[in-house]
Amino acid sequence: VTDSATEEVIATDPEGRAADVDKAVAAARAAFPAWSALAKEERAAYLMKIHAGLEARTDEIATTIAKEVGMPIFLSNLIQAGLPKANFAVAAQLLGTYEFEETMGNALVVREAVGVVGCITPWNYPLHQIALKVAPALAAGNTVVVKPREVAPINAFILAEVIHAAGVPAGVFNLLTGLGFPPARARELADRREHVVRLAERVLAERVLAVVDARVRNGAATPLDLARQRTAVLGLRAAIPPLEVQERQTLAALAIL
């Protein structure tokens, strides 16, 4: 992991393998029955402990993410540290009024946790994107396996430490790092009916390129949101029709070769 300003190496993290994915999912699945059976008030109490733990480490989180993604400290403190804290507090507050069972006419509607949730997140708002998925998932009674983007994973380790310190039962939160799930493993997880919230990693690159290739061959306009990523090579074939590019964030670079 490098400092975005100096390119100095500031951390290293493990490269997760297929066996690590299996262990994380197994741990999450084993923890699910007890966690989902907790009263919602107990889950809310855990979420508020996580909120408090993040609050206590605000400066550390802000400094870490400022280095990881590149952002002035005052903005990082406000956004990169502030938003994740709020996500856990909001999820806890919603549990106070949310009804998991509701009578509708002669029917009883029961809302249940789905099980193990895979949270694969991007780099640009790293801890915020994790919290947006983890907080409501835990609130609803799910257990989670988190895979942050490899360029900004340090903040996820801070969250893991906070969750551990909050006394959240083992297996409820699991963290994997590395370059991403191998495509075969991702398909296997889907076959097991684990719920993938967002797959924002390289495991879908081949599918994305195949879709783009098919569209441009048919002359279809192809809008692309690069999300401030590094230069993307969209095709190597000649006579590719012009692409319609909609850039939603600044500093993105697009090369069509």
Side-chain angles (χ1 to χ4, degrees):
V1 182
T2 59
D3 186 310
S4 58
T6 66
E7 297 188 349
E8 175 190 1
V9 175
I10 56 175
T12 59
D13 60 349
E15 183 177 349
R17 304 291 185 177
D20 299 310
V21 178
D22 290 338
K23 290 178 182 177
V25 173
R29 188 184 293 118
F32 172 69
W35 179 254
S36 60
L38 282 180
K40 65 178 185 179
E41 291 80 9
E42 293 184 65
R43 293 200 299 271
Y46 278 117
L47 293 176
M48 288 308 298
K49 288 181 181 179
I50 297 171
H51 166 77
L54 293 175
E55 177 70 39
R57 299 180 70 170
T58 293
D59 291 342
E60 179 186 2
I61 292 169
T63 301
T64 296
I65 300 179
K67 291 181 178 181
E68 287 178 313
V69 308
M71 177 176 283
I73 287 292
F74 80 94
L75 283 178
S76 186
N77 196 299
L78 179 67
I79 299 170
Q80 303 287 12
L83 292 178
K85 293 184 295 187
N87 290 331
F88 282 96
V90 168
Q93 292 165 5
L94 287 175
L95 275 178
T97 57
Y98 189 82
E99 296 298 335
F100 286 87
E101 295 187 4
E102 180 182 2
T103 300
M104 300 181 66
N106 295 324
L108 177 64
V109 177
V110 179
R111 301 175 178 88
E112 298 179 331
V114 298
V116 179
V117 175
C119 307
I120 307 178
T121 55
W123 67 274
N124 47 349
Y125 291 87
L127 190 55
H128 177 46
Q129 294 287 351
I130 292 172
L132 277 174
K133 297 164 180 58
V134 170
L138 296 184
N142 301 293
T143 54
V144 298
V145 177
V146 176
K147 163 59 180 73
R149 183 65 185 269
E150 71 274 8
V151 298
I154 306 173
N155 60 88
F157 283 95
I158 296 175
L159 175 61
E161 291 172 356
V162 167
I163 289 176
H164 179 72
V168 175
V172 171
F173 176 91
N174 305 272
L175 177 63
L176 292 169
T177 55
L179 294 178
F181 293 159
R185 183 61 61 193
R187 287 193 294 271
E188 184 178 327
L189 291 178
D191 291 342
R192 292 180 187 171
R193 299 183 182 275
E194 316 301 355
H195 184 66
V196 178
V197 172
R198 175 177 172 83
L199 194 58
E201 286 289 339
R202 299 173 184 175
V203 297
L204 287 184
E206 291 182 3
R207 287 188 60 190
V208 171
L209 290 177
V211 170
V212 171
D213 180 64
R215 288 180 61 83
V216 297
R217 281 176 176 273
N218 293 328
T222 306
L224 298 167
D225 181 357
L226 298 183
R228 296 179 64 186
Q229 296 299 308
R230 297 180 180 91
T231 300
V233 179
L234 300 181
L236 298 176
R237 298 175 179 82
I240 295 179
L243 299 180
E244 175 189 345
V245 178
Q246 181 180 3
E247 181 178 325
R248 299 182 187 278
Q249 298 193 37
T250 60
L251 303 180
L254 171 64
I256 302 175
L257 305 179

